[in-house]
Amino acid sequence: MKNLIKYMISMAIISVLIYGTSCTKDVGPIIIEPSGNNGPPVSFANDIQPIFNQDCTGCHDDTHPKLDLREGFAYGQLLIGGASAPYVDTLNAEQSLLYQRVTSPSNPMPPSGALQNFQAQKILKWIEQGAKNN
């Protein structure tokens, strides 16, 4: 009996070591929500603007000809002030220009490489939730 328990523990440890690790790039947490659940509210100020601050405002500042994503300007630019506004479509979030640009494999934004998956999904969720200035 002791040998069987040792064997089972050994197999569990080996399984975790083999299947519980990954050599792929960490793209953030994978969150699976039940169908029809919009999850907790995504805040523009606390969740979306920090993504812009970190990854977008190096180019999308007051000198950019189409879209200024700096704090205090981004929300208005996305909805009414930017050259291609509105950049969000709350009725068809996946077709929103903002979401299309941050997930484009051929022309990603930022140009240095697309956002991480969890960041793009946060932007999508914000649009699905009505793209509120919260």
Side-chain angles (χ1 to χ4, degrees):
M1 183 68 166
K2 283 185 179 182
N3 287 339
L4 179 60
I5 292 172
K6 286 180 184 178
Y7 175 77
M8 291 175 69
I9 291 172
S10 297
M11 296 311 313
I13 291 170
I14 290 170
S15 294
V16 168
L17 292 174
I18 292 173
Y19 299 108
T21 61
S22 173
C23 295
T24 60
K25 179 181 174 186
D26 181 17
V27 294
I30 297 173
I31 300 170
I32 300 172
E33 296 178 352
S35 177
N37 180 0
N38 260 353
V42 177
S43 164
F44 181 78
N46 296 327
D47 298 312
I48 305 304
Q49 187 64 56
I51 294 171
F52 295 156
N53 293 346
Q54 177 183 330
D55 295 298
C56 306
T57 57
C59 295
H60 287 275
D61 58 13
D62 60 337
T63 64
H64 195 277
K66 294 184 178 183
L67 184 63
D68 184 351
L69 292 176
R70 294 175 302 146
E71 200 160 335
F73 298 93
Y75 187 80
Q77 289 275 300
L78 288 169
L79 296 177
I80 56 171
S84 297
Y87 288 83
V88 297
D89 179 354
T90 59
L91 298 177
N92 196 353
E94 289 184 0
Q95 295 304 313
S96 294
L97 184 56
L98 174 63
Y99 182 71
Q100 291 292 313
R101 290 308 307 267
V102 300
T103 58
S104 172
S106 61
N107 191 14
M109 283 291 151
S112 59
L115 295 178
Q116 293 186 40
N117 185 50
F118 78 94
Q119 293 171 307
Q121 292 306 307
K122 193 171 283 194
I123 290 171
L124 178 64
K125 185 65 68 177
W126 171 71
I127 297 169
E128 289 173 340
Q129 292 177 352
K132 295 176 184 153
N133 190 10
N134 54 355

